[in-house]
Amino acid sequence: GAVVSQHPSWVICKSGTSVKIECRSLDFQATTMFWYRQFPKQSLMLMATSNEGSKATYEQGVEKDKFLINHASLTLSTLTVTSAHPEDSSFYICSATPGQPWQPQHFGDGTRLSIL
Amino acid sequence: AQRVTQPEKLLSVFKGAPVELKCNYSYSGSPELFWYVQYSRQRLQLLLRHISRESIKGFTADLNKGETSFHLKKPFAQEEDSAMYYCALSTPNTNAGKSTFGDGTTLTVKP
C-alpha cells in the first residue's frame, strides 16, 4: 500500500516550454504532498509543500511564479515548470504520506526534466 | 533551523564486515528521524524510523539525543546493501511537518 505515482518519468523539451508533472497517491488520500529537486550526486532539496485546497508553501529561494503547484484533490498534485530554461533541468521528485506530514514519506519515481 | 549532516559521501566495505553510516542533526525540539534508502534504479523508500526501534534488513539505528546522532549500523554487510542512504529529520507540529535530508551516503559492499 501507500503508492505514489509520478508522471511523466522523463521529458525533454525546448527552452521556453511549460512542463507539467503529476504526482498521484494511488491508494490513499494526502492533504499534503512535497516537491523536491535533486541535482546529480546531491541531496533532495525541498522546493515546496503542496496543500490540498490552498496555496502551496514555497521554500526560500524557490520562485513561485516559475514553479506553479496545484493540489486540486486529495490524490493529485501538479508541478508546472513555466517557461522552462536549461537551468531548470533536474530530477524532480514528489512525496506524500497517508498520515501526518511529518510521518514517513512515500516517494514517486521522479521526473527527469531536460530543457534544450 | 533544522539541519542533517552525513559526513561521508562514499563508504566502501567488504561483504561480511560491519558498516556504520553516520548521521548528525541539529534541532532544538524533539525530531522524528528516519533513514531512507535508494537502490539502483528504484525509488527512494523508508528503511527505518527511530520511533519504531525495529531492525530492518539487519540495520538498526539508535537516536542519541546527547550527541544528536542517528547512526545506521549493520553488523555484517551484504552486497545487496549497496545503495544510497539518506538520513532525514522531520518536526512534528512545526514547519508543516516537512523533512530535511542529509546529503546522502553511497554505500558499496564489495564481494
PDB file of all heavy atoms in Angstrom, chain A residues 5-38:
ATOM      1  N   SER A   5       2.495   7.706  -7.455  1.00  0.00           N
ATOM      2  CA  SER A   5       2.808   7.613  -8.876  1.00  0.00           C
ATOM      3  C   SER A   5       3.152   8.995  -9.409  1.00  0.00           C
ATOM      4  O   SER A   5       2.447   9.970  -9.136  1.00  0.00           O
ATOM      5  CB  SER A   5       1.603   7.047  -9.630  1.00  0.00           C
ATOM      6  OG  SER A   5       1.827   7.085 -11.022  1.00  0.00           O
ATOM      7  N   GLN A   6       4.216   9.075 -10.181  1.00  0.00           N
ATOM      8  CA  GLN A   6       4.647  10.355 -10.728  1.00  0.00           C
ATOM      9  C   GLN A   6       4.752  10.204 -12.240  1.00  0.00           C
ATOM     10  O   GLN A   6       5.260   9.212 -12.770  1.00  0.00           O
ATOM     11  CB  GLN A   6       6.004  10.733 -10.123  1.00  0.00           C
ATOM     12  CG  GLN A   6       6.400  12.170 -10.323  1.00  0.00           C
ATOM     13  CD  GLN A   6       7.629  12.556  -9.520  1.00  0.00           C
ATOM     14  OE1 GLN A   6       7.943  11.970  -8.486  1.00  0.00           O
ATOM     15  NE2 GLN A   6       8.353  13.533 -10.006  1.00  0.00           N
ATOM     16  N   HIS A   7       4.277  11.238 -12.938  1.00  0.00           N
ATOM     17  CA  HIS A   7       4.250  11.156 -14.395  1.00  0.00           C
ATOM     18  C   HIS A   7       4.466  12.526 -15.011  1.00  0.00           C
ATOM     19  O   HIS A   7       3.931  13.521 -14.487  1.00  0.00           O
ATOM     20  CB  HIS A   7       2.879  10.614 -14.840  1.00  0.00           C
ATOM     21  CG  HIS A   7       2.714  10.530 -16.314  1.00  0.00           C
ATOM     22  ND1 HIS A   7       3.220   9.488 -17.068  1.00  0.00           N
ATOM     23  CD2 HIS A   7       2.139  11.378 -17.203  1.00  0.00           C
ATOM     24  CE1 HIS A   7       2.945   9.698 -18.335  1.00  0.00           C
ATOM     25  NE2 HIS A   7       2.284  10.825 -18.451  1.00  0.00           N
ATOM     26  N   PRO A   8       5.249  12.687 -16.070  1.00  0.00           N
ATOM     27  CA  PRO A   8       5.977  11.612 -16.743  1.00  0.00           C
ATOM     28  C   PRO A   8       7.270  11.276 -16.013  1.00  0.00           C
ATOM     29  O   PRO A   8       7.672  11.994 -15.101  1.00  0.00           O
ATOM     30  CB  PRO A   8       6.264  12.241 -18.113  1.00  0.00           C
ATOM     31  CG  PRO A   8       6.416  13.699 -17.816  1.00  0.00           C
ATOM     32  CD  PRO A   8       5.437  13.992 -16.719  1.00  0.00           C
ATOM     33  N   SER A   9       7.911  10.221 -16.429  1.00  0.00           N
ATOM     34  CA  SER A   9       9.172   9.856 -15.794  1.00  0.00           C
ATOM     35  C   SER A   9      10.345  10.592 -16.438  1.00  0.00           C
ATOM     36  O   SER A   9      11.393  10.778 -15.810  1.00  0.00           O
ATOM     37  CB  SER A   9       9.386   8.347 -15.856  1.00  0.00           C
ATOM     38  OG  SER A   9       9.325   7.901 -17.200  1.00  0.00           O
ATOM     39  N   TRP A  10      10.143  10.999 -17.700  1.00  0.00           N
ATOM     40  CA  TRP A  10      11.215  11.680 -18.404  1.00  0.00           C
ATOM     41  C   TRP A  10      10.605  12.601 -19.446  1.00  0.00           C
ATOM     42  O   TRP A  10       9.700  12.192 -20.172  1.00  0.00           O
ATOM     43  CB  TRP A  10      12.115  10.655 -19.082  1.00  0.00           C
ATOM     44  CG  TRP A  10      13.480  11.164 -19.452  1.00  0.00           C
ATOM     45  CD1 TRP A  10      13.990  12.406 -19.249  1.00  0.00           C
ATOM     46  CD2 TRP A  10      14.502  10.430 -20.101  1.00  0.00           C
ATOM     47  NE1 TRP A  10      15.266  12.480 -19.723  1.00  0.00           N
ATOM     48  CE2 TRP A  10      15.615  11.273 -20.256  1.00  0.00           C
ATOM     49  CE3 TRP A  10      14.605   9.118 -20.584  1.00  0.00           C
ATOM     50  CZ2 TRP A  10      16.811  10.872 -20.858  1.00  0.00           C
ATOM     51  CZ3 TRP A  10      15.784   8.715 -21.186  1.00  0.00           C
ATOM     52  CH2 TRP A  10      16.866   9.595 -21.309  1.00  0.00           C
ATOM     53  N   VAL A  11      11.089  13.808 -19.489  1.00  0.00           N
ATOM     54  CA  VAL A  11      10.592  14.736 -20.503  1.00  0.00           C
ATOM     55  C   VAL A  11      11.748  15.588 -21.014  1.00  0.00           C
ATOM     56  O   VAL A  11      12.583  16.077 -20.243  1.00  0.00           O
ATOM     57  CB  VAL A  11       9.433  15.598 -19.957  1.00  0.00           C
ATOM     58  CG1 VAL A  11       9.871  16.390 -18.740  1.00  0.00           C
ATOM     59  CG2 VAL A  11       8.879  16.519 -21.006  1.00  0.00           C
ATOM     60  N   ILE A  12      11.776  15.733 -22.326  1.00  0.00           N
ATOM     61  CA  ILE A  12      12.760  16.593 -22.981  1.00  0.00           C
ATOM     62  C   ILE A  12      11.967  17.610 -23.784  1.00  0.00           C
ATOM     63  O   ILE A  12      11.078  17.252 -24.537  1.00  0.00           O
ATOM     64  CB  ILE A  12      13.667  15.779 -23.934  1.00  0.00           C
ATOM     65  CG1 ILE A  12      14.378  14.669 -23.167  1.00  0.00           C
ATOM     66  CG2 ILE A  12      14.685  16.704 -24.596  1.00  0.00           C
ATOM     67  CD1 ILE A  12      15.160  13.729 -24.070  1.00  0.00           C
ATOM     68  N   CYS A  13      12.291  18.876 -23.601  1.00  0.00           N
ATOM     69  CA  CYS A  13      11.563  19.889 -24.355  1.00  0.00           C
ATOM     70  C   CYS A  13      12.448  21.103 -24.614  1.00  0.00           C
ATOM     71  O   CYS A  13      13.542  21.237 -24.052  1.00  0.00           O
ATOM     72  CB  CYS A  13      10.277  20.290 -23.630  1.00  0.00           C
ATOM     73  SG  CYS A  13      10.547  20.919 -21.989  1.00  0.00           S
ATOM     74  N   LYS A  14      11.936  21.966 -25.465  1.00  0.00           N
ATOM     75  CA  LYS A  14      12.689  23.150 -25.859  1.00  0.00           C
ATOM     76  C   LYS A  14      12.582  24.245 -24.801  1.00  0.00           C
ATOM     77  O   LYS A  14      11.595  24.320 -24.051  1.00  0.00           O
ATOM     78  CB  LYS A  14      12.176  23.684 -27.192  1.00  0.00           C
ATOM     79  CG  LYS A  14      12.430  22.767 -28.372  1.00  0.00           C
ATOM     80  CD  LYS A  14      11.898  23.407 -29.659  1.00  0.00           C
ATOM     81  CE  LYS A  14      12.156  22.513 -30.858  1.00  0.00           C
ATOM     82  NZ  LYS A  14      11.626  23.117 -32.110  1.00  0.00           N
ATOM     83  N   SER A  15      13.566  25.086 -24.787  1.00  0.00           N
ATOM     84  CA  SER A  15      13.567  26.231 -23.881  1.00  0.00           C
ATOM     85  C   SER A  15      12.348  27.101 -24.144  1.00  0.00           C
ATOM     86  O   SER A  15      11.970  27.319 -25.291  1.00  0.00           O
ATOM     87  CB  SER A  15      14.856  27.025 -24.091  1.00  0.00           C
ATOM     88  OG  SER A  15      14.942  28.068 -23.164  1.00  0.00           O
ATOM     89  N   GLY A  16      11.706  27.539 -23.094  1.00  0.00           N
ATOM     90  CA  GLY A  16      10.527  28.383 -23.216  1.00  0.00           C
ATOM     91  C   GLY A  16       9.216  27.626 -23.064  1.00  0.00           C
ATOM     92  O   GLY A  16       8.150  28.228 -22.887  1.00  0.00           O
ATOM     93  N   THR A  17       9.305  26.322 -23.099  1.00  0.00           N
ATOM     94  CA  THR A  17       8.110  25.474 -22.948  1.00  0.00           C
ATOM     95  C   THR A  17       7.734  25.354 -21.476  1.00  0.00           C
ATOM     96  O   THR A  17       8.597  25.402 -20.598  1.00  0.00           O
ATOM     97  CB  THR A  17       8.398  24.076 -23.509  1.00  0.00           C
ATOM     98  OG1 THR A  17       8.907  24.174 -24.829  1.00  0.00           O
ATOM     99  CG2 THR A  17       7.156  23.213 -23.495  1.00  0.00           C
ATOM    100  N   SER A  18       6.444  25.182 -21.236  1.00  0.00           N
ATOM    101  CA  SER A  18       5.990  24.882 -19.876  1.00  0.00           C
ATOM    102  C   SER A  18       5.747  23.382 -19.758  1.00  0.00           C
ATOM    103  O   SER A  18       5.192  22.761 -20.660  1.00  0.00           O
ATOM    104  CB  SER A  18       4.714  25.660 -19.552  1.00  0.00           C
ATOM    105  OG  SER A  18       5.005  27.034 -19.441  1.00  0.00           O
ATOM    106  N   VAL A  19       6.147  22.840 -18.648  1.00  0.00           N
ATOM    107  CA  VAL A  19       6.060  21.386 -18.442  1.00  0.00           C
ATOM    108  C   VAL A  19       5.284  21.087 -17.167  1.00  0.00           C
ATOM    109  O   VAL A  19       5.572  21.670 -16.116  1.00  0.00           O
ATOM    110  CB  VAL A  19       7.474  20.771 -18.321  1.00  0.00           C
ATOM    111  CG1 VAL A  19       7.390  19.278 -18.072  1.00  0.00           C
ATOM    112  CG2 VAL A  19       8.288  21.073 -19.559  1.00  0.00           C
ATOM    113  N   LYS A  20       4.333  20.180 -17.256  1.00  0.00           N
ATOM    114  CA  LYS A  20       3.544  19.804 -16.090  1.00  0.00           C
ATOM    115  C   LYS A  20       3.921  18.404 -15.634  1.00  0.00           C
ATOM    116  O   LYS A  20       3.970  17.471 -16.428  1.00  0.00           O
ATOM    117  CB  LYS A  20       2.046  19.849 -16.401  1.00  0.00           C
ATOM    118  CG  LYS A  20       1.170  19.471 -15.195  1.00  0.00           C
ATOM    119  CD  LYS A  20      -0.306  19.383 -15.553  1.00  0.00           C
ATOM    120  CE  LYS A  20      -0.934  20.733 -15.685  1.00  0.00           C
ATOM    121  NZ  LYS A  20      -2.407  20.650 -15.830  1.00  0.00           N
ATOM    122  N   ILE A  21       4.151  18.276 -14.341  1.00  0.00           N
ATOM    123  CA  ILE A  21       4.462  16.974 -13.734  1.00  0.00           C
ATOM    124  C   ILE A  21       3.352  16.643 -12.745  1.00  0.00           C
ATOM    125  O   ILE A  21       2.974  17.483 -11.923  1.00  0.00           O
ATOM    126  CB  ILE A  21       5.820  17.023 -13.000  1.00  0.00           C
ATOM    127  CG1 ILE A  21       6.937  17.449 -13.960  1.00  0.00           C
ATOM    128  CG2 ILE A  21       6.138  15.668 -12.375  1.00  0.00           C
ATOM    129  CD1 ILE A  21       8.249  17.764 -13.259  1.00  0.00           C
ATOM    130  N   GLU A  22       2.863  15.408 -12.818  1.00  0.00           N
ATOM    131  CA  GLU A  22       1.782  14.986 -11.934  1.00  0.00           C
ATOM    132  C   GLU A  22       2.290  14.053 -10.841  1.00  0.00           C
ATOM    133  O   GLU A  22       3.140  13.209 -11.074  1.00  0.00           O
ATOM    134  CB  GLU A  22       0.699  14.255 -12.731  1.00  0.00           C
ATOM    135  CG  GLU A  22      -0.068  15.119 -13.694  1.00  0.00           C
ATOM    136  CD  GLU A  22      -1.224  14.375 -14.329  1.00  0.00           C
ATOM    137  OE1 GLU A  22      -1.296  13.137 -14.177  1.00  0.00           O
ATOM    138  OE2 GLU A  22      -2.045  15.017 -14.980  1.00  0.00           O
ATOM    139  N   CYS A  23       1.713  14.202  -9.681  1.00  0.00           N
ATOM    140  CA  CYS A  23       2.019  13.326  -8.554  1.00  0.00           C
ATOM    141  C   CYS A  23       0.692  12.832  -7.987  1.00  0.00           C
ATOM    142  O   CYS A  23      -0.138  13.644  -7.555  1.00  0.00           O
ATOM    143  CB  CYS A  23       2.798  14.095  -7.492  1.00  0.00           C
ATOM    144  SG  CYS A  23       3.241  13.121  -6.033  1.00  0.00           S
ATOM    145  N   ARG A  24       0.504  11.529  -8.017  1.00  0.00           N
ATOM    146  CA  ARG A  24      -0.755  10.947  -7.543  1.00  0.00           C
ATOM    147  C   ARG A  24      -0.523   9.952  -6.411  1.00  0.00           C
ATOM    148  O   ARG A  24       0.402   9.141  -6.480  1.00  0.00           O
ATOM    149  CB  ARG A  24      -1.468  10.203  -8.672  1.00  0.00           C
ATOM    150  CG  ARG A  24      -1.985  11.064  -9.789  1.00  0.00           C
ATOM    151  CD  ARG A  24      -2.699  10.247 -10.854  1.00  0.00           C
ATOM    152  NE  ARG A  24      -3.075  11.068 -11.997  1.00  0.00           N
ATOM    153  CZ  ARG A  24      -4.213  11.742 -12.081  1.00  0.00           C
ATOM    154  NH1 ARG A  24      -5.089  11.659 -11.094  1.00  0.00           N
ATOM    155  NH2 ARG A  24      -4.468  12.479 -13.139  1.00  0.00           N
ATOM    156  N   SER A  25      -1.363  10.039  -5.402  1.00  0.00           N
ATOM    157  CA  SER A  25      -1.375   8.994  -4.386  1.00  0.00           C
ATOM    158  C   SER A  25      -2.434   7.981  -4.829  1.00  0.00           C
ATOM    159  O   SER A  25      -3.596   8.316  -4.969  1.00  0.00           O
ATOM    160  CB  SER A  25      -1.712   9.580  -3.022  1.00  0.00           C
ATOM    161  OG  SER A  25      -2.914  10.324  -3.052  1.00  0.00           O
ATOM    162  N   LEU A  26      -2.009   6.757  -5.088  1.00  0.00           N
ATOM    163  CA  LEU A  26      -2.890   5.790  -5.743  1.00  0.00           C
ATOM    164  C   LEU A  26      -3.864   5.114  -4.784  1.00  0.00           C
ATOM    165  O   LEU A  26      -4.971   4.750  -5.179  1.00  0.00           O
ATOM    166  CB  LEU A  26      -2.053   4.723  -6.453  1.00  0.00           C
ATOM    167  CG  LEU A  26      -1.186   5.213  -7.607  1.00  0.00           C
ATOM    168  CD1 LEU A  26      -0.541   4.040  -8.325  1.00  0.00           C
ATOM    169  CD2 LEU A  26      -1.972   6.079  -8.577  1.00  0.00           C
ATOM    170  N   ASP A  27      -3.481   4.906  -3.568  1.00  0.00           N
ATOM    171  CA  ASP A  27      -4.345   4.132  -2.669  1.00  0.00           C
ATOM    172  C   ASP A  27      -4.533   4.808  -1.317  1.00  0.00           C
ATOM    173  O   ASP A  27      -4.906   4.163  -0.345  1.00  0.00           O
ATOM    174  CB  ASP A  27      -3.777   2.721  -2.482  1.00  0.00           C
ATOM    175  CG  ASP A  27      -2.304   2.735  -2.118  1.00  0.00           C
ATOM    176  OD1 ASP A  27      -1.733   3.838  -1.986  1.00  0.00           O
ATOM    177  OD2 ASP A  27      -1.722   1.656  -1.963  1.00  0.00           O
ATOM    178  N   PHE A  28      -4.294   6.107  -1.294  1.00  0.00           N
ATOM    179  CA  PHE A  28      -4.560   6.844  -0.070  1.00  0.00           C
ATOM    180  C   PHE A  28      -4.775   8.305  -0.410  1.00  0.00           C
ATOM    181  O   PHE A  28      -4.484   8.745  -1.514  1.00  0.00           O
ATOM    182  CB  PHE A  28      -3.412   6.689   0.937  1.00  0.00           C
ATOM    183  CG  PHE A  28      -2.103   7.310   0.489  1.00  0.00           C
ATOM    184  CD1 PHE A  28      -1.739   8.587   0.910  1.00  0.00           C
ATOM    185  CD2 PHE A  28      -1.227   6.604  -0.321  1.00  0.00           C
ATOM    186  CE1 PHE A  28      -0.527   9.143   0.514  1.00  0.00           C
ATOM    187  CE2 PHE A  28      -0.022   7.159  -0.721  1.00  0.00           C
ATOM    188  CZ  PHE A  28       0.327   8.436  -0.313  1.00  0.00           C
ATOM    189  N   GLN A  29      -5.310   9.028   0.543  1.00  0.00           N
ATOM    190  CA  GLN A  29      -5.519  10.453   0.346  1.00  0.00           C
ATOM    191  C   GLN A  29      -4.438  11.235   1.080  1.00  0.00           C
ATOM    192  O   GLN A  29      -4.000  10.838   2.166  1.00  0.00           O
ATOM    193  CB  GLN A  29      -6.907  10.857   0.864  1.00  0.00           C
ATOM    194  CG  GLN A  29      -8.039  10.226   0.070  1.00  0.00           C
ATOM    195  CD  GLN A  29      -9.416  10.672   0.549  1.00  0.00           C
ATOM    196  OE1 GLN A  29      -9.592  10.973   1.725  1.00  0.00           O
ATOM    197  NE2 GLN A  29     -10.366  10.744  -0.357  1.00  0.00           N
ATOM    198  N   ALA A  30      -4.031  12.316   0.484  1.00  0.00           N
ATOM    199  CA  ALA A  30      -2.943  13.107   1.064  1.00  0.00           C
ATOM    200  C   ALA A  30      -3.300  14.578   1.021  1.00  0.00           C
ATOM    201  O   ALA A  30      -3.413  15.163  -0.052  1.00  0.00           O
ATOM    202  CB  ALA A  30      -1.642  12.854   0.313  1.00  0.00           C
ATOM    203  N   THR A  31      -3.477  15.178   2.175  1.00  0.00           N
ATOM    204  CA  THR A  31      -3.743  16.613   2.206  1.00  0.00           C
ATOM    205  C   THR A  31      -2.463  17.400   1.945  1.00  0.00           C
ATOM    206  O   THR A  31      -2.514  18.557   1.554  1.00  0.00           O
ATOM    207  CB  THR A  31      -4.313  17.035   3.567  1.00  0.00           C
ATOM    208  OG1 THR A  31      -3.423  16.599   4.601  1.00  0.00           O
ATOM    209  CG2 THR A  31      -5.689  16.431   3.802  1.00  0.00           C
ATOM    210  N   THR A  32      -1.341  16.762   2.176  1.00  0.00           N
ATOM    211  CA  THR A  32      -0.057  17.422   1.969  1.00  0.00           C
ATOM    212  C   THR A  32       0.837  16.550   1.092  1.00  0.00           C
ATOM    213  O   THR A  32       0.947  15.348   1.313  1.00  0.00           O
ATOM    214  CB  THR A  32       0.655  17.672   3.311  1.00  0.00           C
ATOM    215  OG1 THR A  32      -0.186  18.436   4.165  1.00  0.00           O
ATOM    216  CG2 THR A  32       1.968  18.414   3.095  1.00  0.00           C
ATOM    217  N   MET A  33       1.433  17.156   0.102  1.00  0.00           N
ATOM    218  CA  MET A  33       2.447  16.495  -0.716  1.00  0.00           C
ATOM    219  C   MET A  33       3.659  17.420  -0.774  1.00  0.00           C
ATOM    220  O   MET A  33       3.518  18.637  -0.615  1.00  0.00           O
ATOM    221  CB  MET A  33       1.922  16.211  -2.123  1.00  0.00           C
ATOM    222  CG  MET A  33       0.812  15.169  -2.168  1.00  0.00           C
ATOM    223  SD  MET A  33       0.323  14.794  -3.877  1.00  0.00           S
ATOM    224  CE  MET A  33      -0.865  13.490  -3.613  1.00  0.00           C
ATOM    225  N   PHE A  34       4.801  16.838  -0.993  1.00  0.00           N
ATOM    226  CA  PHE A  34       6.023  17.624  -1.047  1.00  0.00           C
ATOM    227  C   PHE A  34       6.683  17.468  -2.410  1.00  0.00           C
ATOM    228  O   PHE A  34       6.668  16.388  -3.005  1.00  0.00           O
ATOM    229  CB  PHE A  34       7.009  17.160   0.047  1.00  0.00           C
ATOM    230  CG  PHE A  34       6.502  17.358   1.451  1.00  0.00           C
ATOM    231  CD1 PHE A  34       5.936  16.301   2.154  1.00  0.00           C
ATOM    232  CD2 PHE A  34       6.598  18.590   2.074  1.00  0.00           C
ATOM    233  CE1 PHE A  34       5.470  16.476   3.461  1.00  0.00           C
ATOM    234  CE2 PHE A  34       6.140  18.767   3.366  1.00  0.00           C
ATOM    235  CZ  PHE A  34       5.567  17.716   4.057  1.00  0.00           C
ATOM    236  N   TRP A  35       7.274  18.560  -2.877  1.00  0.00           N
ATOM    237  CA  TRP A  35       8.020  18.522  -4.123  1.00  0.00           C
ATOM    238  C   TRP A  35       9.495  18.821  -3.836  1.00  0.00           C
ATOM    239  O   TRP A  35       9.828  19.785  -3.139  1.00  0.00           O
ATOM    240  CB  TRP A  35       7.471  19.560  -5.108  1.00  0.00           C
ATOM    241  CG  TRP A  35       6.164  19.146  -5.710  1.00  0.00           C
ATOM    242  CD1 TRP A  35       4.913  19.519  -5.316  1.00  0.00           C
ATOM    243  CD2 TRP A  35       5.974  18.268  -6.828  1.00  0.00           C
ATOM    244  NE1 TRP A  35       3.965  18.918  -6.108  1.00  0.00           N
ATOM    245  CE2 TRP A  35       4.583  18.153  -7.051  1.00  0.00           C
ATOM    246  CE3 TRP A  35       6.852  17.572  -7.677  1.00  0.00           C
ATOM    247  CZ2 TRP A  35       4.054  17.379  -8.072  1.00  0.00           C
ATOM    248  CZ3 TRP A  35       6.311  16.794  -8.688  1.00  0.00           C
ATOM    249  CH2 TRP A  35       4.925  16.701  -8.883  1.00  0.00           C
ATOM    250  N   TYR A  36      10.347  17.968  -4.398  1.00  0.00           N
ATOM    251  CA  TYR A  36      11.794  18.102  -4.201  1.00  0.00           C
ATOM    252  C   TYR A  36      12.474  18.227  -5.558  1.00  0.00           C
ATOM    253  O   TYR A  36      11.971  17.785  -6.591  1.00  0.00           O
ATOM    254  CB  TYR A  36      12.373  16.859  -3.506  1.00  0.00           C
ATOM    255  CG  TYR A  36      11.795  16.552  -2.144  1.00  0.00           C
ATOM    256  CD1 TYR A  36      10.641  15.789  -2.026  1.00  0.00           C
ATOM    257  CD2 TYR A  36      12.412  16.999  -0.983  1.00  0.00           C
ATOM    258  CE1 TYR A  36      10.115  15.478  -0.780  1.00  0.00           C
ATOM    259  CE2 TYR A  36      11.899  16.683   0.264  1.00  0.00           C
ATOM    260  CZ  TYR A  36      10.747  15.924   0.359  1.00  0.00           C
ATOM    261  OH  TYR A  36      10.239  15.620   1.588  1.00  0.00           O
ATOM    262  N   ARG A  37      13.671  18.775  -5.478  1.00  0.00           N
ATOM    263  CA  ARG A  37      14.533  18.820  -6.647  1.00  0.00           C
ATOM    264  C   ARG A  37      15.852  18.169  -6.239  1.00  0.00           C
ATOM    265  O   ARG A  37      16.354  18.404  -5.136  1.00  0.00           O
ATOM    266  CB  ARG A  37      14.750  20.272  -7.065  1.00  0.00           C
ATOM    267  CG  ARG A  37      15.531  20.450  -8.338  1.00  0.00           C
ATOM    268  CD  ARG A  37      15.477  21.909  -8.763  1.00  0.00           C
ATOM    269  NE  ARG A  37      16.291  22.112  -9.958  1.00  0.00           N
ATOM    270  CZ  ARG A  37      16.369  23.258 -10.614  1.00  0.00           C
ATOM    271  NH1 ARG A  37      15.700  24.326 -10.173  1.00  0.00           N
ATOM    272  NH2 ARG A  37      17.129  23.368 -11.675  1.00  0.00           N
ATOM    273  N   GLN A  38      16.374  17.358  -7.128  1.00  0.00           N
ATOM    274  CA  GLN A  38      17.624  16.669  -6.812  1.00  0.00           C
ATOM    275  C   GLN A  38      18.613  16.879  -7.934  1.00  0.00           C
ATOM    276  O   GLN A  38      18.355  16.521  -9.080  1.00  0.00           O
ATOM    277  CB  GLN A  38      17.369  15.171  -6.624  1.00  0.00           C
ATOM    278  CG  GLN A  38      18.583  14.390  -6.153  1.00  0.00           C
ATOM    279  CD  GLN A  38      18.266  12.932  -5.895  1.00  0.00           C
ATOM    280  OE1 GLN A  38      17.453  12.333  -6.583  1.00  0.00           O
ATOM    281  NE2 GLN A  38      18.910  12.359  -4.893  1.00  0.00           N
TER     282      GLN A  38
END
